Amino acid sequence: MDDVVEYEFNNFLKDMPSHKHLIYLIADDYNDEYPGNQINIMQVKLDSRIRDYLKQFYSGKYCIYSDWCVHVVPKNISLEVLGEKKSKFYVV
């Protein structure tokens, strides 16, 4: 399970800095290997690692949130993706 989080985090690092809406640890990609609760745990771990990284290196420039995957959205396009109220809530 931790190897999946590490793999997805390394993919995130390769994609940074990006000016796109990025997605990681898509639940459907892991449904055959892991039950839903384990996928949720992996998403929480990945979300936390990405948040820590963004706070350290890109503070206030990205939004992050999780649902069927972990989303990383540059602040400048987060209004389009999330809307004004949610954008402010998810800025890291």
Side-chain angles (χ1 to χ4, degrees):
M1 202 163 80
D2 287 337
D3 56 327
V4 172
V5 173
E6 188 66 26
Y7 171 78
E8 294 285 350
F9 183 72
N10 285 329
N11 285 337
F12 161 76
L13 291 176
K14 290 176 192 172
D15 294 339
M16 286 304 295
S18 175
H19 303 290
K20 300 178 184 177
H21 178 180
L22 304 170
I23 56 175
Y24 301 97
L25 221 153
I26 300 168
D28 286 347
D29 292 349
Y30 294 98
N31 279 337
D32 292 340
E33 299 172 58
Y34 299 96
N37 64 334
Q38 284 186 339
I39 294 170
N40 290 339
I41 291 167
M42 290 187 295
Q43 287 176 334
V44 168
K45 287 181 178 183
L46 179 62
D47 183 292
S48 178
R49 285 196 65 192
I50 292 174
R51 280 180 191 277
D52 290 345
Y53 179 87
L54 292 174
K55 284 178 186 176
Q56 185 175 1
F57 297 105
Y58 298 95
S59 184
K61 296 183 180 180
Y62 285 84
C63 295
I64 184 170
Y65 64 101
S66 298
D67 48 20
W68 53 273
C69 67
V70 177
H71 301 261
V72 180
V73 185
K75 185 178 173 184
N76 65 332
I77 67 165
S78 66
L79 290 175
E80 298 169 26
V81 176
L82 297 170
E84 187 173 344
K85 289 182 181 178
K86 285 187 179 179
S87 252
K88 291 176 185 175
F89 179 74
Y90 292 112
V91 172
V92 179

